[in-house]
Amino acid sequence: HFGQTEVADQTMHRALESLFTSLLYFLFLSVTFGFTSSPPFFSAFMPPRTASATSLCSGASATTSSGGCRLGFIGTGTIASAIATGLATQSSVPIESISVSKRSAAKSAALAEAFPELVTVLEQNQALIDRSDIIFVTVLPQQTKEVLQQLKFDSERHLLVSLVSTSKLPDLAEDSGLP
């Protein structure tokens, strides 16, 4: 049974990696080329149409040199680890850095070991926010409000993507202070 579980876990990880790589690529193309039709669930995460790919993926900070996306994962568990792995291994969307929190020290350390030039493990969520332009929230539902309210987001630079099963857009906006 152990072998079957391991294969199922690997299959799930590959599927999640592919899904979220596709979503990030769609986001990148939508902002770059101003696509006007997107699925309703996805348009909720889209920045205003005045945003450019440069402002989305290279940020407002002059410290970004490669022009790639700076990603952050608050709550690095199984799902965040799979998504980060998929994004780190794809070549469609340029990724400058991936910052991860230590929700699971083992998963965070494994990511940093697998992608040492790309992944940084951070102790503080605010430090992660400060280094990232696109932030994935992957905490437990009961932790979302408290985690987001403790952070200072920049509405001109940050895009928040919640993977919390029960999160609602009005609550995310209120708790993060983002529009």
Side-chain angles (χ1 to χ4, degrees), residues 42-88:
F42 194 74
S43 63
F45 296 109
M46 293 298 296
R49 291 287 179 211
T50 57
S52 68
T54 303
S55 67
L56 178 64
C57 280
S58 62
S61 168
T63 61
T64 301
S65 58
S66 75
C69 291
R70 297 184 307 174
L71 308 174
F73 288 86
I74 298 175
T76 308
T78 301
I79 292 174
S81 179
I83 296 167
T85 299
L87 293 170

Side-chain angles (χ1 to χ4, degrees), residues 14-63:
R14 282 194 295 273
L16 285 171
E17 290 167 6
S18 177
L19 171 66
F20 286 102
T21 299
S22 298
L23 285 174
L24 185 61
Y25 187 59
F26 179 78
L27 175 65
F28 180 77
L29 290 175
S30 295
V31 172
T32 302
F33 300 110
F35 292 165
T36 56
S37 62
S38 61
F41 72 90
F42 194 74
S43 63
F45 296 109
M46 293 298 296
R49 291 287 179 211
T50 57
S52 68
T54 303
S55 67
L56 178 64
C57 280
S58 62
S61 168
T63 61

Side-chain angles (χ1 to χ4, degrees), residues 123-163:
E123 297 285 334
Q124 301 295 318
N125 286 336
Q126 187 61 52
L128 184 145
I129 297 295
D130 295 341
R131 294 174 47 109
S132 305
D133 299 313
I134 301 174
I135 297 102
F136 293 85
V137 178
T138 59
V139 297
L140 298 173
Q142 62 270 24
Q143 298 170 326
T144 307
K145 182 178 186 116
E146 181 183 348
V147 167
L148 292 177
Q149 287 181 346
Q150 293 176 4
L151 302 170
K152 291 181 175 63
F153 291 91
D154 178 350
S155 63
E156 297 294 317
R157 183 169 69 94
H158 289 131
L159 176 69
L160 183 64
V161 179
S162 175
L163 301 176

